[in-house]
Amino acid sequence: MRKELVGLLVLLLLCVGGITGCSLLGEKEASTSGQQTNDEEEKKKEETSEQKNDAVKKKESEPNVTEQSEKEGDKDSEKQGELSKEENKSESSSGATKEAVSQVNWESYWTRDINTDWAVIEITEQKGDTLKFNINSIHTDDAEAARGGYINVGDVKGAAKVSGNVATQTTDEMDNGCMVKLTNHQSYIQVESITDCSSGGGVGVYFDGKYKKGNIPMPDWWKEEVSNSDNSTEEESKEDPDQPAEQEQATEDTTEEATEEEAPVEDTQTLITREQAIQRVKDYLNLSLENMRYVDDGDTATGKYLIRVYQYQEATANSTEHEAPYGYFIVDPKTGEVTDVNND
């Protein structure tokens, strides 16, 4: 019995020990697995915090990058804006220059309307910023000189560079050294000499001054003065109180008789025609040059024919067709005598 009891005790002890060992092992395993779980959770937490920190750093860095990119974009846009402004300015300035040139109307004719120093500008051609012109000018001392045919003439001809409303002569087709500047004020052109123009014409001829718009014909101002002087002479003779009535009657009779006697002479006197006057000038010059032209420019103050002579020159590679003035000649319709104006 004792042996059996002892065996049972041993078995009990073994069972109790096995149970205790199993529980201890289970606790150890549970504690071990719990520690592993805690370690894994801490690692996960650390990794999550690190990821959060990285995300925060990225977010913090992103505004700086955005600001820099925005600043760079603003700078690029400012540069582009400045370039576009400069381009617009250059385009507007060039456009304004072209518009300024195109708005200036140079017309065809401009006249310096001065009795003793009449002159006319003729714009013969205009292309872009270049124009061609011709200035004809005359000079006479007074009405008496004009009535005697003492009229000096001169010419300036060439091309000019246009800038705004100013045309500066660049070529001299007359080869007389005279160069001028033309300033267009719309209603008139102001001409200024930029070289010595004293050799551009006869004595007293000049080209400076104000030229009105249009081709204003030269008036017969010397003829008006003649008629006024004749009227004043007649009035003085009529108002002379010292002349006896008989003498006045005798003078009138004598005048009537002289008129009657002179009338047939005037009727029989033959005057040469304008065509004959031109032929007289041709015979007088006896030129062998080609393309010479003879133009009747009307009468002088004394009723003589004024013939203008020039040579027509056709267009070449360096110039357009133009007239090369040769001179002015006065023909007496009664005698047919030819006088060279420039030699007087």
Side-chain angles (χ1 to χ4, degrees):
M1 288 290 292
R2 289 181 179 177
K3 290 181 179 179
E4 293 177 356
L5 290 169
V6 170
L8 290 169
L9 290 171
V10 171
L11 289 170
L12 289 169
L13 290 171
L14 288 172
C15 290
V16 171
I19 293 167
T20 305
C22 290
S23 64
L24 289 172
L25 288 171
E27 290 177 357
K28 286 182 180 179
E29 289 176 357
S31 63
T32 302
S33 63
Q35 287 179 357
Q36 289 177 352
T37 303
N38 292 333
D39 292 339
E40 289 177 356
E41 290 178 354
E42 288 179 358
K43 286 181 180 179
K44 288 180 180 179
K45 288 180 180 179
E46 289 178 357
E47 289 176 357
T48 304
S49 63
E50 288 178 357
Q51 290 177 357
K52 289 181 179 179
N53 291 332
D54 292 338
V56 171
K57 289 180 181 179
K58 286 182 180 179
K59 288 181 179 180
E60 290 177 353
S61 61
E62 282 178 359
N64 294 331
V65 173
T66 305
E67 290 177 359
Q68 290 179 356
S69 62
E70 288 178 354
K71 288 181 180 179
E72 291 177 356
D74 293 337
K75 289 181 180 179
D76 292 336
S77 62
E78 287 178 359
K79 289 181 180 178
Q80 290 178 356
E82 290 177 355
L83 291 173
S84 62
K85 286 180 181 179
E86 290 178 357
E87 291 176 357
N88 292 331
K89 285 181 180 178
S90 61
E91 289 177 359
S92 61
S93 61
S94 62
T97 304
K98 292 179 180 178
E99 186 177 358
V101 172
S102 62
Q103 285 181 353
V104 177
N105 188 359
W106 290 92
E107 291 289 339
S108 298
Y109 291 94
W110 306 77
T111 307
R112 187 180 66 192
D113 190 18
I114 302 176
N115 287 340
T116 57
D117 296 279
W118 182 88
V120 63
I121 302 172
E122 180 184 4
I123 307 299
T124 58
E125 182 181 347
Q126 183 177 2
K127 290 183 179 179
D129 60 350
T130 303
L131 61 80
K132 293 188 176 183
F133 70 97
N134 181 23
I135 303 179
N136 294 318
S137 178
I138 71 163
H139 170 75
T140 185
D141 291 335
D142 48 35
E144 184 178 354
R147 288 193 293 271
Y150 297 103
I151 302 174
N152 295 328
V153 297
D155 296 272
V156 176
K157 182 182 291 187
K161 186 78 171 179
V162 178
S163 177
N165 68 329
V166 178
T168 305
Q169 186 176 357
T170 55
T171 64
D172 177 18
E173 294 185 12
M174 301 299 297
D175 294 330
N176 54 22
C178 180
M179 306 286 280
V180 298
K181 179 177 72 174
L182 290 74
T183 304
N184 191 328
H185 296 281
Q186 299 298 331
S187 61
Y188 69 93
I189 287 180
Q190 186 72 36
V191 177
E192 301 175 63
S193 299
I194 54 180
T195 62
D196 183 13
C197 290
S198 59
S199 60
V203 177
V205 174
Y206 67 96
F207 305 98
D208 292 9
K210 182 186 293 186
Y211 290 70
K212 303 176 185 177
K213 183 184 291 186
N215 187 6
I216 304 173
M218 184 170 57
D220 297 336
W221 53 277
W222 57 85
K223 293 183 179 179
E224 295 176 0
E225 188 169 323
V226 170
S227 62
N228 291 334
S229 62
D230 292 343
N231 292 334
S232 61
T233 304
E234 291 178 0
E235 290 176 358
E236 288 176 359
S237 63
K238 290 179 181 179
E239 295 176 357
D240 188 0
D242 297 332
Q243 186 177 8
E246 294 180 358
Q247 187 176 352
E248 290 180 0
Q249 186 65 35
T251 303
E252 291 177 359
D253 295 340
T254 305
T255 304
E256 291 177 359
E257 291 176 359
T259 304
E260 292 176 357
E261 291 177 357
E262 292 174 358
V265 176
E266 290 182 356
D267 293 338
T268 57
Q269 188 176 15
T270 302
L271 301 178
I272 66 173
T273 63
R274 297 183 185 276
E275 290 76 11
Q276 290 173 337
I278 291 175
Q279 187 60 46
R280 292 291 179 92
V281 173
K282 290 180 179 179
D283 296 339
Y284 174 81
L285 294 175
N286 193 22
L287 298 175
S288 59
L289 300 174
E290 296 181 354
N291 297 327
M292 295 302 298
R293 306 294 170 83
Y294 301 81
V295 180
D296 173 27
D297 275 1
D299 298 342
T300 65
T302 56
K304 298 178 181 179
Y305 300 130
L306 181 61
I307 309 300
R308 176 166 59 92
V309 181
Y310 67 90
Q311 184 181 29
Y312 172 75
Q313 296 184 356
E314 297 180 351
T316 63
N318 299 323
S319 64
T320 59
E321 59 178 1
H322 61 278
E323 300 175 0
Y326 189 86
Y328 283 83
F329 300 87
I330 295 174
V331 181
D332 191 326
K334 297 179 181 179
T335 64
E337 180 183 2
V338 179
T339 304
D340 187 347
V341 172
N342 291 326
N343 290 338
D344 289 343

